Amino acid sequence: SRSISNRREMFAVIQLTSTNNKQENLSTIRSLVGKAAEDGAKMVFLPEAADFIGTSRDETHELAETLDGEFFSAMQELSSNLKLWISIGSMHRKPVPLAEDQRLH
């Protein structure tokens, strides 16, 4: 026999104004996700470009990271430590050096 639970899971939608200061953005995200976890959220949604907003095309390319970079690693750690899911709206992912498509995603 199966039972249906009436328990509801909470999620959080976070809005922030990212800048080209990646450390400051990461600190803000950690704080807001931590608050959401304290309030009972089991899933947190971050906005597009949560990692940073570059001031120029060159700066954007310079600040982009691979998936093993600091930002994505920090999100994995935060998710694991707080035992919740984090959906990153988008982040600037540096392409693999030998990939045919060298656009940022």
Side-chain angles (χ1 to χ4, degrees):
S1 98
R2 292 184 349 181
S3 65
I4 298 175
S5 172
N6 287 331
R7 185 179 75 172
R8 293 185 180 202
E9 299 293 344
M10 190 172 89
F11 65 91
V13 177
I14 292 178
Q15 187 61 38
L16 67 140
T17 304
S18 296
T19 68
N20 62 341
N21 185 330
K22 291 168 56 173
Q23 292 304 315
E24 185 176 290
N25 299 337
L26 195 50
S27 177
T28 299
I29 290 169
R30 283 184 174 122
S31 175
L32 293 171
V33 171
K35 173 73 171 109
E38 286 175 12
D39 290 345
K42 297 298 181 195
M43 181 154 193
V44 176
F45 294 87
L46 298 177
E48 292 180 332
D51 53 347
F52 70 90
I53 297 290
T55 59
S56 69
R57 180 181 174 99
D58 288 341
E59 182 181 53
T60 299
H61 278 271
E62 180 183 318
L63 293 175
E65 300 176 5
T66 58
L67 290 178
D68 61 350
E70 182 181 4
F71 181 79
F72 196 72
S73 296
M75 294 301 99
Q76 288 176 314
E77 182 180 330
L78 191 59
S79 175
S80 178
N81 289 345
L82 296 176
K83 298 182 180 15
L84 52 70
W85 291 85
I86 298 176
S87 173
I88 304 168
S90 71
M91 59 179 269
H92 300 87
R93 184 175 58 88
K94 194 171 277 191
V96 177
L98 299 177
E100 185 176 315
D101 183 355
Q102 288 293 303
R103 293 176 293 175
L104 286 179
H105 296 281

